[in-house]
Amino acid sequence: MTLRRLLLAAFVAASLAALPAIVRAQSSAPVHAGAEVDTPPRLTNPTRTARLVADSYPSRLRRSGVSGQAQVQFVVDTSGKVEPESIEVVLASGPAFAIAAKRVAGKIHFTPGRSNGQVVRTRVLLPIAYK
């Protein structure tokens, strides 16, 4: 192996080794409820979000004309991304809607919440309607 490849391999290994510490640092930061923030998280692109929800509508239920809803709760991190491990379905009108809503929640992007001028991790409750 050349010196360049050895250095690249060492850099990649060191970066991967540091990743869990970075994730732990982020997830150990407090999570704020919506009422605790000055500015709650906002959808960065409502049109894209509506398209994601429409695309996640279970096709069998759509063809049958069955509408439904789900409420998902999750944490939006300081970069505006949904923390995948935090996604939970709070309420759903059926299992297929629960699965679809959970999948789509992880794809939605937000402007992060702010408290005292600082971006903060924020818990969000999002209703999703399938019509």
Side-chain angles (χ1 to χ4, degrees), residues 8-67:
L8 180 60
F11 174 76
V12 169
S15 298
L16 291 175
L19 188 58
I22 293 167
V23 171
R24 276 195 308 275
Q26 169 102 8
S27 62
S28 66
V31 176
H32 298 266
E36 299 173 344
V37 295
D38 304 325
T39 307
R42 289 185 323 269
L43 294 170
T44 57
N45 189 335
T47 303
R48 179 180 182 272
T49 301
R51 189 174 43 246
L52 287 169
V53 169
D55 290 348
S56 74
Y57 197 143
S59 57
R60 180 179 49 83
L61 297 174
R62 182 187 304 208
R63 281 192 308 271
S64 301
V66 176
S67 61

Side-chain angles (χ1 to χ4, degrees), residues 78-125:
T78 57
S79 69
K81 294 182 180 172
V82 173
E83 295 179 4
E85 67 281 355
S86 73
I87 301 170
E88 58 184 279
V89 177
V90 177
L91 177 69
S93 56
F97 292 120
I99 292 167
K102 190 169 183 174
R103 281 188 190 137
V104 79
K107 298 176 182 177
I108 300 172
H109 297 276
F110 292 85
T111 300
R114 290 186 168 271
S115 180
N116 297 322
Q118 301 292 316
V119 292
V120 294
R121 295 172 68 221
T122 311
R123 184 165 310 283
V124 171
L125 180 63

